[in-house]
Amino acid sequence: EKGLVYQGYKVMPYSTVCGTPLSNFEAGLNYKDVHDPTVVVHFPLVDDEKVSLLAWTTTPWTLPSNITLCVHEKLEYVKFLDKNSGNTYIMAKTRLCQLYPQMSKKKWKPKMAADLYEILETFPGKDLVGKKYIPVFDYFTQDEGADQYYQILSDNYVTDDAGTGIVHQAPAFGEDDYRVCLAHGVIIKGGDLPCPVDSNGNFTEQVPPVKGVHVKKADETLIAILKESGRLVQKDNLFHSYPFCWRSDSPLIYKAVPSWFIRVEEIRDKIVENNKKTYWVPNSVKEGRFHNWLVDARDWAVSRNRFWGTPIPIWASEDLEEVVCIGSIDELAELSGVRVEDLHREVVDKLEIPSKKNPGTFLKRVDEVFDCWFESGSMPYAQKHYPFENKERFEKGFPADFIAEGLDQTRGWFYTLMVLATALFDKPAFKNLIVNGMVLASDGKKMSKRLKNYPDPVVVINKYGADALRMYLINSPVVRAESLRFSEDGVEGVVKQVFLPWFNAFRFMVQNIERWESGGNKFVPSTEKVCATTNPTDVWISAAAQGLIKFVHEEMQAYRLYTVMPELVRFIDQLTNWYVRLNRDRLKGAEGDDSDAETGLQVLYDVLLNVTTIMAPITPFITEYFYQHLRKMQPSYAEAANGGGSQNPVMAGKSDSIHYLTLPAYDAARLNQDAVDAMEVLQKVVELGRNIREKRLINLKTPVKNIAVILRNPSANLVKNVTGPLKDYILSELNAWGLTIVPQEEEHEWVTLSLTPVFSVLGKKFGKKMKAVSTF
């Protein structure tokens, strides 16, 4: 109805034995090394028949269908006299070796050229564009539109890697040929093409000398005709890799196949604008790879010549003068008089629709089925059976808030979603998108069932758990559209470095709550007690947890998974290796103050519950295990009637699964950057102090008199925290008697600053001036 569909041609790999086109993927399944004839043919110029253009081809059978020649505008071409034949030719200067093979040999010297040819003129390819030439064969000279045939075009696909730098073009048998001829107006979309080859790969009566002969067997006959007519300049054989049909094991050809198209070029500007309304992670894929694909997008061939597939719902007369596009089962029943529910082609192909233009005749369904990518692009509508059902629900939820797929879908699903949504509604199909990278084998190669170069996923999951595999993948370059070399050791590392310390902290807390309750107490989680603590490590870990929650909300809203996971892993390390370790005796009640032990356990419980809830979407199984134990301590657990259930208000304890809970909101009152900064200094001081002990071979059991710490521009609060509440922790960790913060005015006595130039970087900046810069 919008005029965005038409029937035209698409040049595709074609099996002449099966009588069907193949996808590019199928065409790549069966390559063989074969010998094929190659020829160089001359095409005299109309305005000077004594001068001829030289074109080289590996498919002589396509020459009867030639309608243009193509050059590269910027390549250097020469007009030269061939001294052997006395003929004047034009070809790319760098390809003279095609005509004179001795130029490629070691013994060749430039002075030898005088015996072979004389260059008469040199010019760029653009000077040839538009010139007319005399065709090799005249089978299509009387066609409608032939006045545009037999001219020289230009395009960047022409190279001087092989041949003569001049390409013969037969748009019915070459993808680039078709594209270039269409771009220059030599042919039109949907118009007929010079295509004298039938569905079995045999020549038709349009080329009488080889009528009924298969194209691959017609080469020798056609070459003989070229020789007889004086057009053959050179004949040779090429040993090269050539695609064969994977079903019939016969050589493929490229052939223009009638196809149904969506007019993408007509709405291309709208598609580009709609892409700008979307948010991608990483943005570079949107602005680079995807944008570049969109601005050059061509009309989309949505039909395939297959049996299995969704039938294209078009009924037409044989001459396509009368076409009806069916929009529903009801419409098909109304027009055909037969109601069907099964829409597979073995059912609908039997239905005929009476013609309104020619009473007594019937319209039949066209033979093609949909490209499966058209179906994938239709997913937003198909999943809700729109527009037949859920119209209001669809309109409220479109565009989708979020989708995710692999980098390889840039030209696949992402593209088809955008095209169809723009064509139908002038909207993007989605608002936010995460582009996943590719998971490769450990050797960097693509995972292959044939090579078996990857571990069995089921074995990995059974060995380490699904959570470990999930966390390994999410905490990898894959979530920012980069490749990951999969390593089973990496999955094992998640278990050892994250899950076991996390579980040990959880178990340590549970054991010490049970110890504390054994004295007749009852542990009841209390946020008030957590907020009231003055212990510096309590304040720090609580502030860090709230900061983590705030960070996760911000980054998740921006769809940056690659920043979230490292922080979660880092926090678990901070919790287990620092908070629990520094407070182990306190939490055990070994310091003699049971009320302080309870405070520490309250803080640890609060932090573990928050981290468990945050981690639930990423590691759903271990967090569910933790939650089922943590919830029992909540007062609301007693209210979990009928096992809680999703009907209950979302509440830790009462909700029977952690996956019913929402991500916790952060408590701004508990954020404390000073405490976090001070703890970072404590950790750095402890790490550096241990390093110095190791270098000086001073055992940790041997106390040191004093630790001097130099801080770069410390705030007053930082100095106060380090020398106050945290001082005892530092002295204990380093077995020291005293701690001194070196005043800023005395730093020069301890620290020497120097600049070391990185010449590899500076050299790119200064170039030839680098010597003067380095001297200075």
Side-chain angles (χ1 to χ4, degrees), residues 513-533:
I513 287 176
E514 290 174 352
R515 177 202 58 76
W516 186 78
E517 288 185 329
S518 65
N521 304 307
K522 176 65 177 175
F523 184 85
V524 179
S526 170
T527 305
E528 290 76 16
K529 290 182 180 179
V530 174
C531 294
T533 182

Side-chain angles (χ1 to χ4, degrees), residues 193-466:
L193 299 175
C195 184
V197 177
D198 65 19
S199 60
N200 295 316
N202 298 325
F203 275 103
T204 65
E205 66 277 357
Q206 290 174 292
V207 185
V210 285
K211 176 186 175 183
V213 180
H214 190 273
V215 293
K216 299 297 281 186
K217 294 179 180 178
D219 282 336
E220 291 305 321
T221 302
L222 293 170
I223 292 171
I225 295 173
L226 291 171
K227 185 175 182 180
E228 187 179 335
S229 66
R231 288 298 191 91
L232 184 66
V233 176
Q234 185 185 69
K235 179 190 174 185
D236 203 350
N237 271 290
L238 177 69
F239 185 66
H240 65 150
S241 186
Y242 192 85
F244 277 64
C245 175
W246 64 275
R247 293 189 184 95
S248 64
D249 206 33
S250 59
L252 299 176
I253 64 172
Y254 277 80
K255 185 175 183 291
V257 179
S259 298
W260 292 90
F261 288 83
I262 304 293
R263 296 184 190 273
V264 173
E265 292 168 40
E266 193 171 302
I267 59 172
R268 185 163 53 197
D269 291 345
K270 291 182 179 180
I271 297 173
V272 171
E273 286 304 310
N274 282 330
N275 182 45
K276 293 177 181 177
K277 299 174 185 176
T278 60
Y279 176 81
W280 292 47
V281 175
N283 189 60
S284 57
V285 180
K286 169 190 169 181
E287 299 292 346
R289 186 169 179 165
F290 193 62
H291 174 79
N292 294 338
W293 178 249
L294 293 182
V295 295
D296 291 328
R298 302 198 295 269
D299 289 355
W300 174 20
V302 296
S303 61
R304 294 291 180 266
N305 297 74
R306 301 279 191 274
F307 180 82
W308 302 111
T310 298
I312 291 179
I314 293 177
W315 271 253
S317 58
E318 284 190 21
D319 58 6
L320 291 178
E321 289 298 316
E322 186 177 0
V323 177
V324 175
C325 185
I326 302 299
S328 67
I329 291 176
D330 290 341
E331 185 182 2
L332 180 59
E334 180 185 342
L335 294 178
S336 68
V338 180
R339 186 171 189 85
V340 296
E341 298 296 333
D342 186 345
L343 299 180
H344 289 94
R345 65 176 299 178
E346 67 268 23
V347 176
V348 298
D349 281 4
K350 298 173 183 177
L351 305 184
E352 296 180 339
I353 295 175
S355 171
K356 293 182 179 179
K357 288 187 177 180
N358 299 295
T361 63
F362 293 88
L363 310 182
K364 296 185 177 181
R365 197 191 71 80
V366 298
D367 192 53
E368 295 89 350
V369 297
F370 273 118
D371 170 13
C372 62
W373 287 110
F374 186 91
E375 296 177 273
S376 72
S378 305
M379 178 280 300
Y381 328 109
Q383 70 171 347
K384 292 185 173 65
H385 199 212
Y386 175 86
F388 307 104
E389 297 180 74
N390 306 308
K391 190 170 186 293
E392 186 177 341
R393 184 179 166 205
F394 166 76
E395 289 171 353
K396 284 183 178 179
F398 186 82
D401 285 317
F402 165 69
I403 65 169
E405 247 295 358
L407 183 62
D408 56 334
Q409 296 302 317
T410 306
R411 299 179 182 182
W413 189 45
F414 303 153
Y415 176 70
T416 59
L417 282 173
M418 192 68 76
V419 169
L420 291 182
T422 301
L424 292 169
F425 303 106
D426 194 17
K427 292 180 181 179
F430 52 86
K431 298 174 186 175
N432 302 285
L433 164 63
I434 290 181
V435 184
N436 302 322
M438 307 306 292
V439 181
L440 306 175
S442 58
D443 58 4
K445 295 179 180 178
K446 187 177 180 181
M447 288 186 173
S448 167
K449 291 180 181 177
R450 179 176 60 84
L451 297 175
K452 295 181 180 178
N453 59 349
Y454 60 92
D456 186 335
V458 175
V459 173
V460 172
I461 290 172
N462 288 339
K463 190 173 182 181
Y464 305 108

